[in-house]
Amino acid sequence: MARTAKVLFDVPEIKKDFPILQRTVRDKPLTYLDSTATSQKPRQVIDAMTDYYSRYNANVHRAIYELGEESTREYEGARERVAAFIGAKDPMEVAYTKSTTESLNLVAYGYALKGKRVQKGDEIIGTVLEHHSNHVPWHFVRDLKGVTLKYVDVDEDGRLKMEQYDDLITKRTKVVTVAQVSNVLGTINDVKEIAKRAHEVGAVCVVDAAQSVPHMPVDVRELDCDFLAFSGHKMLGPTGVGVLYGKKEVLEETEPLLGGGEMISEVHLGTAKWNDVPYKFEGGTPPIAEVIGLGAAVDYLTKLGMPAVRQHEMNVTGYALQELSNVAGLRVYGPKDVRQRGGVVSFTMAKAHPHDIASILDVEGVCIRSGHHCAQPLMDRYDLAATARASFYVYNDLEDVDRLAAALQKVNEVFG
Ligand code: 7TS
């Protein structure tokens, strides 16, 4: 049957930028469908990091010599581009961390636990679809400060039951946190509305944007969220660098986690004053090469255009949903409408366990993820132990989906 679906990008051209996509696995072309776990890296990102190490490696913010000036310029230049990429009004609202996980822990410890805003008896509202990294830090706050945690549920199609916020949010609510895109269901949540509800009672809205910033236009001023966390490695950048965006005034109210060099303005025996935002969160030598790599990733995505990235993924995902519906015994989770979901497709098959599916696909050179995807509360909600999950990015096209669908037919053949 002729394919009627089309994609926006010239994917064979894009693939040329990704050295890893030139290799084969098990003598088959590599079909990488696990960008939700981590994305592949274009030559531009790898080169930017190599260039730093080979031409101007020096620590930032301290050297009065040319190499140090260059590294500081690139490090701070990346901050400006990251800030522009997410619509922040000031680069000083962007703090570098190690990852989304570290960013969310920084909010939990620095704002909720060490800060003054959240007190014993207050409430924090999450959802059942969060990644573990947006559950566990709040458990710490509950255990150490005596706050109550409450959760918004999802419906059978994986959409948040928005009406539950009416009852769950009260005058004691101090933090409302949500993933903008679910890493399992792909659901896109209405963060703007959730932030508005949080603000009505004076709470802050904390957004886990690990799966949104890489895949769609995100504008923090449009969302009006207070904090937003994401990782470099899921957006074509390197591992080891993440971002915590925060409105200036909430970052001022957030205490640092790491004490040490760089994060102070003054230290005397037994006392210290913090540096300005965001430097007070960047104690010690930061991941300089990784930040520079992240800057190159932002440039790469900006050149493609985030509205186009989103459109491309909708096309590929729409085609995948159609093709997967032809595989006997396969059930897809999450919203049915591609406009309500990102490029993440979780599924189960009647006869094969998700790990078996992933193993058989591996033999075909198709990389997907299987397991609980660090979202066990969500698995509990659907009474599942695991799902198989394929996810798409700028370097995937309809042929990748065809390879996935063909490999899934093989799974059915093997399991009879
Ligand atoms: N939040 C969401 C929504 C995620 O998908 C992930 C990682 C994280 C937070 C944590 O990001 P990290 O960079 O700090 O590790 N998600 C996945 C996944 O779905 N499979 O592997 C990692």
Side-chain angles (χ1 to χ4, degrees):
M1 198 174 64
R3 265 199 299 229
T4 50
K6 294 232 177 335
V7 292
L8 205 62
F9 291 149
D10 183 353
V11 172
E13 258 325 290
I14 289 180
K15 279 190 176 174
K16 287 185 194 157
D17 286 336
F18 290 78
I20 205 169
L21 298 179
Q22 315 310 315
R23 68 165 280 183
T24 54
V25 281
R26 303 181 193 285
D27 293 329
K28 303 265 169 57
L30 171 61
T31 304
Y32 187 76
L33 301 178
D34 197 17
S35 297
T36 298
T38 197
S39 68
Q40 298 302 346
K41 325 299 175 200
R43 184 173 35 78
Q44 289 83 341
V45 167
I46 300 167
D47 288 352
M49 296 172 73
T50 307
D51 189 43
Y52 161 69
Y53 282 128
S54 34
R55 279 203 318 111
Y56 60 97
N57 176 54
N59 215 327
V60 289
H61 301 143
R62 28 195 103 164
I64 315 283
Y65 48 80
E66 187 163 330
L67 296 187
E69 283 165 13
E70 280 179 32
S71 66
T72 302
R73 193 162 61 233
E74 290 302 318
Y75 181 84
E76 291 303 326
R79 195 191 305 273
E80 284 168 22
R81 273 131 62 215
V82 169
F85 190 68
I86 58 167
K89 75 174 177 246
D90 183 346
M92 296 298 112
E93 293 180 323
V94 166
Y96 293 128
T97 62
K98 176 164 79 75
S99 58
T100 306
T101 302
E102 187 178 303
S103 297
L104 292 169
N105 276 275
L106 174 51
V107 180
Y109 278 102
Y111 181 83
L113 202 53
K114 289 172 91 183
K116 298 193 175 62
R117 284 285 168 177
V118 180
Q119 298 299 333
K120 188 172 183 329
D122 284 342
E123 298 161 351
I124 293 173
I125 315 235
T127 84
V128 300
L129 60 65
E130 303 307 310
H131 185 277
H132 293 166
S133 63
N134 203 26
H135 277 298
V136 185
W138 306 112
H139 298 176
F140 297 158
V141 180
R142 177 200 55 203
D143 296 346
L144 292 166
K145 209 162 197 176
V147 301
T148 304
L149 305 182
K150 299 184 194 170
Y151 304 98
V152 173
D153 192 15
V154 286
D155 66 18
E156 283 314 299
D157 279 342
R159 290 169 306 197
L160 284 182
K161 292 180 177 167
M162 291 295 287
E163 68 282 3
Q164 290 191 345
Y165 282 106
D166 297 343
D167 293 330
L168 291 182
I169 295 182
T170 72
K171 284 195 292 247
R172 301 241 44 180
T173 303
K174 293 292 155 55
V175 175
V176 180
T177 186
V178 65
Q180 190 168 17
V181 173
S182 160
N183 67 316
V184 179
L185 303 166
T187 319
I188 301 174
N189 295 312
D190 188 352
V191 168
K192 191 174 172 179
E193 174 64 22
I194 295 167
K196 189 174 136 233
R197 300 288 192 88
H199 294 157
E200 280 166 6
V201 294
V204 291
C205 178
V206 181
V207 181
D208 174 351
Q211 300 299 346
S212 55
V213 165
H215 300 283
M216 60 177 65
V218 171
D219 184 318
V220 290
R221 273 186 285 176
E222 158 82 15
L223 297 175
D224 196 25
C225 55
D226 301 278
F227 292 103
L228 182 124
F230 56 99
S231 297
H233 71 97
K234 293 185 197 285
M235 53 187 291
L236 311 181
T239 54
V241 60
V243 167
L244 177 65
Y245 157 83
K247 285 180 181 165
K248 196 78 173 276
E249 57 275 20
V250 294
L251 288 180
E252 303 280 2
E253 291 181 78
T254 305
E255 291 290 309
L257 286 191
L258 297 180
E262 196 69 12
M263 52 76 67
I264 43 75
S265 64
E266 234 179 90
V267 185
H268 304 284
L269 287 180
T271 61
K273 277 193 189 147
W274 307 154
N275 201 342
D276 294 335
V277 164
Y279 301 105
K280 74 174 180 183
F281 304 115
E282 295 177 9
T285 298
I288 303 167
E290 287 75 8
V291 164
I292 290 167
L294 175 61
V298 163
D299 293 345
Y300 193 96
L301 288 169
T302 303
K303 207 162 148 207
L304 287 175
M306 291 311 289
V309 170
R310 168 74 184 131
Q311 185 60 52
H312 174 80
E313 287 184 28
M314 278 206 288
N315 296 355
V316 176
T317 307
Y319 181 65
L321 292 176
Q322 175 198 310
E323 292 304 296
L324 265 49
S325 71
N326 297 327
V327 179
L330 188 148
R331 178 178 169 194
V332 169
Y333 298 85
K336 295 187 177 62
D337 184 343
V338 283
R339 288 169 302 184
Q340 293 178 357
R341 66 184 301 152
V344 186
V345 180
S346 276
F347 57 93
T348 50
M349 292 176 82
K351 292 180 182 152
H353 187 276
H355 290 329
D356 294 325
I357 302 173
S359 297
I360 293 173
L361 266 56
D362 175 44
V363 176
E364 301 302 315
V366 179
C367 310
I368 64 159
R369 178 85 185 263
S370 61
H372 54 58
H373 315 293
C374 297
Q376 279 184 329
L378 184 63
M379 295 288 132
D380 291 345
R381 167 64 182 78
Y382 288 112
D383 206 13
L384 290 166
T387 70
R389 182 189 70 187
S391 52
F392 308 109
Y393 208 4
V394 295
Y395 38 68
N396 294 121
D397 58 10
L398 305 184
E399 276 172 33
D400 292 326
V401 175
D402 289 340
R403 287 200 197 101
L404 168 69
L408 291 171
Q409 300 291 4
K410 287 219 168 138
V411 173
N412 271 342
E413 284 162 27
V414 171
F415 283 88

